[in-house]
Structure formats: structure tokens, C-alpha cells
């Protein structure tokens, strides 16, 4: 690739762009039966082309998990389309009980990652192909959406009240990139009429003289796409309990391995924590703990965020590194501060570490287990523990994963291989505990697809004013959900809809992110 060429020019855009284009599916092909039942078959109809990679310098792949809430007794029927489908419990973990909630499919496969928690670890973690270490997915395990042989969503007999969700996580390889999401409603068919359907349509003032025309299903289904910042298949609409305030303790590793000077892990960690403070509301409280050869409460919980910011200034004006890694103290001091000053709001510890614990404040010499137990004690006290691994692999990474809170099949662990992407990671964490996960588009299925038709630019860091490139070292998750409301009646019988959703990416290098690859597609 050359520096002289304008890579937004469509004639050579293929050199720097990778489109991931996969149809999510189609709802509908109903039986002729009466009643409220609408059947659904989700089938793929590719709506975009040019799915080729012309240069090896840039690649975008994905994994996904897909769940469906469709009522009891459906497993055998669903397994006709999804042989490995299984029941899942309220935490999205496989269960033998008929819960009416199903884990339909995931990539990498269910055989390799049988548990929801394992899937999230893989999605959030980083696998190092050189050392063969790390909890992340391997590149060869992932998929190009354009390579899907059939639609992801293929479900029969969908009824009012049914709900489905797909969480995609995207992986950029080789270079950072700008990303877009696009889509289209490719079919919305009436497929004839049943008697009850005719009655319902006539009561709505809709003529029934066009059995081959448009149906009503695309306008009946409600849909949403959002930044699923904790990859848990659920949209967190606001931070804090019932959208209220939160108390957060930052716990930062200041051991010698964090280094010093411009570009060091220490400086990156301080800069990202400062950005996090900017997301706090005026009534949110924050405090700071550091840990090296000992733990130290630098600042107790306060609504004066500048008091914490004073410790996060660049260079020796802020906290500096040196010593060992007493991680259990980093948790216990933060938990003690939260517990002693509990005001009945959500509480969280955000712990950043760059290595394995090698000192303990707790009794005994099993430093790793002491850190894990300290985190467990905090979780038992109702505190959410979020961990960030800075350049860690192997045992150190596993320790931080075990320390992190988990719910609904997710693990609140975030992996930062270099530290250069900490701003983006802290922005994701802010969405989980403070602001809520941002919606990309929502409305009826028709409205959502109309909005996607021209492509919507995605942003790696919503807390920044300027659009930010997605790094090639951090996984990002996006959620898509659909629901057929219980208020829908016989007017959607026999109807079917088909739609496609895809991701596109363009290298940040030589590009400004202004050339929308979906515009005019």
C-alpha cells in the first residue's frame, strides 16, 4: 500500500476496505392455521456484494451468540435448524430444564465453548498466536459474515411475545479501522391470507385484494441495535440502579512493571482514568486506591472528582510506579471504602493490573488465591468488580478474569494488550456502570432497516467528540434484538420478512472515515 494514493477513491477502496455482509434473516412463512400464531422462517438473502478481500493488510472477522425466548417445549423443533440448540437458564448457561429460553448457535461452536461464560471470555480476551497463550478466540475460529451459508436466524412458529437476540463481537486484524453497520429490508411479503387474517385486516381498514403484496410483519416487529459494551446479550439502558447514581472505586496497579515516562503503561492508565472521570455525573462519587508492595487509599469516595484527578496527572505530578504487586490490597481497600460509605446506590470497583499478584496483605502465601478471594468477598457484598488486563496473558489474565463479576453469562473483564486502547475500554466500562449502553438505531423492523440502508458510522469511543477508529487489538460487541409484541393479532398471519445486516470496515491509515461504503449501495 502506498502513501500517495487517496484511499477513499472507490476505484481502489478494495485495497483498504473489508466488508462483512451477512443476512441475519427473515421472519415469516406462516401456516394456514388460525389464531394468533405467526410462523417464522429466517432465511438469508444477500443484499450487498463485493465480499472479497484484495489485500492482506486488513481483515475484519466476527463471532456471535444467538438466543431466543420462544416458550416451552420448542427444543426439538428448533434443533431441526440448530442441531446444537439447548435450553439456557437466567444466566444464559446451558441447562437440562425446559426454560423456554434457548441458546441457538454461536461461533466459535458450542462444542468448543459450551458455556456462556466461556464465550464471553473468548470474546473479551486476546489470544497471542506467538506464545499460544490467552483466553481470546483464535483468528481461524472466527467467521466472515459474508461466508455464512445460511441466515443466522431461522425460526419457525414465532408467536406474539417471542423475542430473539444476536450479540456480534467484531475483531479487526492487522490494522485499526473505521467501522459502519448497514442493512436492508429485502422482502416483506403477504403470502396470501387466512380467514382470521382477513377479518383482522378488514377491521384495520386494510384491503385484502393483494395476496402477493406487502405484509404487515415488518411494521409489527420491534427491533433495536446497540453497542453491547459488556457482551451480555442485554441492553443496559442506564448506569446505576434504576438509572440512579453510582459509587466507583478506581484501583490501579502501580508496581514497577507499569513503568514510567511518556507512552508507559502507567501514563496510559492515568490518562484513561482521567477520561473516565469525565463521564461521571455530579452526584456520582469516585475514589482511588493504588497497589504495589502495599495498598494505599489515595482518595476516599468523593463527589469532588478533581481530588481524584489530582493523582492522575501526567508524570511525577501524579501517581508513579515501583515495587511488587499486592493485588488483594487493591481490592480490599476499595471494597472497605465502598462498604463503609454505602448510601444505597450501585457500587463498583474498576481494577487495572498488568501482572500476576506476588505479594499479599491477607494471610498466607498464595497471592493469586488471595486476590481472587478478595474480589469474591467484594462481590458477595454486592459490589460489581470490573477488571482490566494491561498487557497480560496466561495465568495473569486468568486471575483477572476470575476476579471479575459475571451475570447473564458475561464476565466483566476487558483486555488491553498495549495500553494504547485504554481510553476506548474505559469508555465501554463507563457505558456499563454509568451512562448506559448507547443505542445505534431502534424502532419497527422496517424503520431500523430503513435507517441502516445508507449505513451508520460506528464509533469506538463515544465519550470523545471526534469519531474514533476501532483498534485491531480490542474486541467490540454489538447487540441486535427483535420482538413480536403481545399486542399483535391475526393481521400478521402468513406474512414473511427478509432482511440483511452487515458490518464494513476501512483502514484508518490513509483514510478519514468519511467515505461511507454503504451509501448508494
Amino acid at each position: 500500500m502506498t502513501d500517495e494514493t487517496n484511499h477513499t477513491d472507490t476505484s481502489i477502496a478494495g485495497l483498504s476496505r473489508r466488508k462483512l455482509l451477512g443476512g441475519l434473516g427473515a421472519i415469516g412463512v406462516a401456516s394456514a392455521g388460525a389464531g394468533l400464531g405467526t410462523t417464522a422462517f429466517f432465511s438469508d438473502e444477500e443484499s450487498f456484494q463485493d465480499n472479497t478481500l484484495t489485500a492482506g493488510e486488513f481483515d475484519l472477522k466476527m463471532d456471535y451468540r444467538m438466543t431466543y425466548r420462544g416458550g416451552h417445549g420448542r427444543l426439538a423443533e428448533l434443533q431441526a435448524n440448530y442441531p446444537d440448540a439447548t435450553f439456557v437458564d437466567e444466566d444464559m448457561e446451558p441447562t437440562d430444564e425446559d426454560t423456554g429460553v434457548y441458546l441457538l448457535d454461536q461461533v466459535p461452536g458450542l462444542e468448543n465453548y459450551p458455556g456462556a461464560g466461556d464465550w464471553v471470555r473468548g470474546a473479551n480476551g486476546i489470544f497471542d498466536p506467538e506464545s499460544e497463550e490467552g483466553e481470546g478466540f483464535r483468528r481461524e475460529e472466527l467467521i466472515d459474515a459474508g461466508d455464512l451459508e445460511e441466515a443466522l436466524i431461522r425460526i419457525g412458529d414465532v408467536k406474539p411475545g417471542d423475542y430473539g437476540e444476536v450479540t456480534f463481537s467484531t475483531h479487526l486484524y492487522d490494522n485499526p479501522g473505521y467501522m459502519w453497520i448497514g442493512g436492508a429490508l429485502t422482502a416483506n411479503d403477504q403470502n396470501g391470507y387466512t380467514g382470521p387474517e382477513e377479518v383482522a385486516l378488514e377491521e384495520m381498514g386494510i384491503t385484502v385484494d393483494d395476496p402477493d403484496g406487502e405484509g404487515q410483519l415488518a411494521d409489527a416487529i420491534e427491533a433495536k441495535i446497540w453497542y453491547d459494551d459488556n457482551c451480555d446479550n442485554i441492553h443496559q439502558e442506564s448506569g446505576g440502579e434504576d438509572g440512579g447514581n453510582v459509587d466507583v472505586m478506581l484501583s490501579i496497579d502501580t508496581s514497577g512493571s507499569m513503568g514510567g515516562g511518556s507512552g508507559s503503561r502507567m501514563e496510559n492508565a492515568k490518562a484513561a482514568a482521567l477520561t473516565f472521570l469525565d463521564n461521571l455525573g455530579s452526584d456520582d462519587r469516585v475514589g482511588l486506591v493504588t497497589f504495589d508492595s502495599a495498598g494505599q487509599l489515595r482518595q476516599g469516595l468523593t463527589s469532588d472528582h478533581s481530588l481524584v484527578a489530582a493523582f492522575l496527572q501526567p508524570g511525577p505530578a501524579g501517581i508513579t510506579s515501583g515495587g511488587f504487586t499486592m493485588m488483594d490490597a487493591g481490592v480490599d481497600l476499595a471494597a472497605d471504602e465502598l462498604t463503609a460509605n454505602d448510601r444505597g446506590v450501585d457500587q463498583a470497583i474498576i481494577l487495572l493490573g498488568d501482572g500476576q499478584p506476588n505479594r499479599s496483605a491477607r494471610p498466607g502465601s498464595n497471592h493469586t488465591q488471595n486476590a481472587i478471594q478478595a474480589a469474591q468477598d467484594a462481590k458477595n457484598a454486592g459490589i460489581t468488580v470490573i477488571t482490566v488486563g494491561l498487557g497480560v496473558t496466561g495465568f495473569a489474565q486468568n486471575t483477572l478474569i476470575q476476579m471479575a463479576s459475571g451475570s447473564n453469562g458475561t464476565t466483566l473483564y476487558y483486555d488491553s494488550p498495549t495500553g494504547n486502547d485504554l481510553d476506548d475500554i474505559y469508555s465501554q466500562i463507563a457505558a456499563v456502570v454509568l451512562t448506559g449502553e448507547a443505542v445505534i438505531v431502534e424502532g419497527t423492523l422496517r424503520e431500523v432497516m430503513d435507517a441502516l440502508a445508507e449505513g451508520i458510522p460506528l464509533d469506538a469511543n463515544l465519550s470523545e467528540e471526534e469519531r474514533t477508529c476501532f483498534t485491531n487489538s480490542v474486541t467490540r460487541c454489538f447487540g441486535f434484538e427483535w420482538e413480536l409484541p403481545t399486542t399483535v393479532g391475526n393481521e400478521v398471519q402468513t406474512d414473511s420478512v427478509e432482511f440483511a445486516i452487515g458490518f464494513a470496515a476501512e483502514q484508518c491509515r490513509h483514510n478519514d472515515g468519511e467515505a461511507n461504503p454503504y451509501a448508494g449501495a
Side-chain angles (χ1 to χ4, degrees), residues 44 77 213 279 291:
D44 185 12
E77 172 193 342
N279 287 288
F291 58 94

Side-chain angles (χ1 to χ4, degrees), residues 375-390:
Q376 187 59 54
D377 291 345
K379 291 182 281 189
N380 291 342
I383 299 169
T384 299
V385 178
I386 300 168
T387 58
V388 180
L390 183 49

